[in-house]
Amino acid sequence: MLAAQAESFPGDKPITIVVPFAAGGPTDRVARDLAEAMRKPLGGVSIVVDNAAGAGGSIGANKVAKAAPDGHTLLVHHIGMATMPTLVRNIPFKVESDFEYLGMINDVPMTLIGKPALPATNFKELATWIGQNKGKINLGNAGVGSASHLCGLLFQTAMKTDMTAVPYKGTGPAMTDLIGGNIDIMCDQTTNTTSQIEAKKVKAFAVTTSKRLTTPALKDLPTLQEAGLKNFEVTIWHGLYAPKGTPADIQKKLNDALKVALKDPDFIKKQEGLGAVVVSDKRMEAAEHKKFVAGEIAKWSPIIKAAGVYAD
C-alpha cells in the first residue's frame, strides 16, 4: 500500500503546508512562495497553506506530527524548531524524532529597529539611550517563541539590560505599534522590516548577521558585532518537515521538489527582495538539515533557560 502511494505521489490530492504562525507574517510569506515554487516539480498539484498559530509555534508543529505520514501534510517552521524543546516545557512531541527532515529553505537576517521618534540615529547613540533609560524601555515582539522574541532575548543578554517585553499576536500588530510609537525598539526579520526601513517608517540601527548585507536598503547598516556586541549573530532559518514515518520514496520526491524550488529564479528573486538568502549548501539535504537543527537546539537552550520565559 505504502509503495503504491509513494509511486503515485502526489496524485490529485492537495498538499497542505502548515505554518505555525499568523497569516501575513514572515514565515507565512516564505511558505507561500515555496508552495508556488514546488507546485511545478510536483506535477502541478495544488499546495495550500494552513496557518495554525500559538504556543511558540508548537500547535502547528503538533498538527503535522500527528498527521497521516503520506506526504500530504508538511510543516514550514523557522528557528522555533530548535527553541521549542526548551521554550515549551510540556511539548507534546519530540522535535528530533517525530518528524522527517526534508531540507532547509533559507536564512533570514534580522534588523534592530526603533520607533520614528527615538532620539538615537545610530547604534552608538542607541546604546547610550538604552543606558540612560534602564527600566523604561519597551521591547516589542510577535509573541513568545517568535523570531523577534528570540532575538530580543539575545539582545538583552548582550546589552546586559532588562527591558519590558511587549508580546503581540503576530508581527503585523507589533510593527504597527512600533511605527505608531507605542513601543520603543524591536528586532525582527528582514522579510518584515526591509520595506518599512525603505519607506523610513522606522529607524534602523544594525543587522544581526556576521557580515553586512548587500540589500540596497540595508547595505549601510553595521552588524551588531561591528557595533561591539561580540559573537552576536542571529539568522532565522526555515526548514521543511513531514510527519515521522513518511515513506522514503515520498520523502525523496519532496526533497527533489524542494531542491528544484530552491533553484527557481522567481523564488530566489522573491526571497532576495525580502532580504532572505536561499539555501544553496548541503543543508538542503535531509541529514544535514537534521544535524544543523540539533546544533541550534544546543545553542538556544541555555539562553531561554536563563530568561525563564516559557510559551506553555
Side-chain angles (χ1 to χ4, degrees):
M1 179 68 177
L2 287 177
Q5 281 183 334
E7 193 171 329
S8 62
F9 180 82
D12 296 328
K13 184 180 177 182
I15 291 173
T16 297
I17 294 179
V18 175
V19 174
F21 301 103
T27 301
D28 179 66
R29 295 176 74 177
V30 170
R32 291 178 191 277
D33 287 347
L34 182 71
E36 184 59 34
M38 286 183 68
R39 281 185 69 247
K40 188 174 180 181
L42 287 172
V45 67
S46 175
I47 303 179
V48 298
V49 173
D50 173 24
N51 298 91
S58 64
I59 290 175
N62 188 50
K63 189 172 184 178
V64 176
K66 302 296 190 286
D70 58 7
H72 288 279
T73 305
L74 307 177
L75 173 69
V76 166
H77 209 317
H78 64 22
I79 194 173
M81 281 297 272
T83 59
M84 281 189 298
T86 310
L87 197 65
V88 185
R89 290 168 293 184
N90 297 313
I91 194 168
F93 54 85
K94 295 187 183 300
V95 166
E96 294 186 80
S97 59
D98 285 348
F99 297 92
E100 303 295 352
Y101 287 62
L102 300 175
M104 299 276 288
I105 303 165
N106 64 14
D107 290 299
V108 184
M110 302 195 77
T111 45
L112 181 66
I113 55 178
K115 63 183 181 183
L118 206 64
T121 58
N122 55 48
F123 183 78
K124 185 177 179 181
E125 291 177 4
L126 178 67
T128 300
W129 179 83
I130 288 172
Q132 293 170 343
N133 290 275
K134 287 186 177 181
K136 303 176 186 176
I137 299 167
N138 291 320
L139 175 65
N141 66 59
V144 175
S146 65
S148 48
H149 172 237
L150 297 169
C151 187
L153 285 181
L154 194 59
F155 183 63
Q156 290 181 82
T157 300
M159 293 296 292
K160 298 180 175 62
T161 303
D162 287 332
M163 303 175 192
T164 301
V166 183
Y168 289 82
K169 291 182 178 179
T171 302
M175 183 64 75
T176 298
D177 264 14
L178 183 72
I179 292 170
N182 296 319
I183 51 176
D184 300 311
I185 55 176
M186 185 165 71
C187 181
D188 205 1
Q189 300 173 67
T190 52
T191 43
N192 192 55
T193 63
T194 302
S195 60
Q196 307 295 352
I197 293 168
E198 278 183 313
K200 301 190 185 308
K201 291 183 177 180
V202 297
K203 287 191 173 181
F205 297 102
V207 294
T208 65
T209 44
S210 58
K211 296 178 181 178
R212 289 196 183 203
L213 302 177
T214 57
T215 310
L218 309 175
K219 64 182 177 61
D220 294 328
L221 292 178
T223 69
L224 282 168
Q225 292 189 39
E226 275 182 67
L229 301 187
K230 290 183 180 179
N231 302 317
F232 194 109
E233 183 177 359
V234 183
T235 58
I236 303 304
W237 43 267
H238 291 85
L240 184 66
Y241 309 82
K244 184 70 176 177
T246 300
D249 286 356
I250 290 180
Q251 290 183 55
K252 186 178 186 307
K253 285 188 177 183
L254 290 166
N255 178 258
D256 287 346
L258 173 64
K259 288 175 182 174
V260 171
L262 297 182
K263 293 175 183 174
D264 183 307
D266 287 339
F267 179 70
I268 292 171
K269 186 176 180 181
K270 286 177 182 176
Q271 296 303 292
E272 286 178 344
L274 296 171
V277 180
V278 175
V279 167
S280 59
D281 56 39
K282 59 187 179 182
R283 291 175 302 157
M284 66 173 67
E285 300 292 349
E288 290 296 329
H289 176 195
K290 189 168 186 177
K291 181 179 174 183
F292 176 81
V293 173
E296 289 283 280
I297 290 172
K299 170 184 173 179
W300 284 97
S301 179
I303 294 170
I304 294 168
K305 286 177 179 176
V309 178
Y310 301 97
D312 55 358

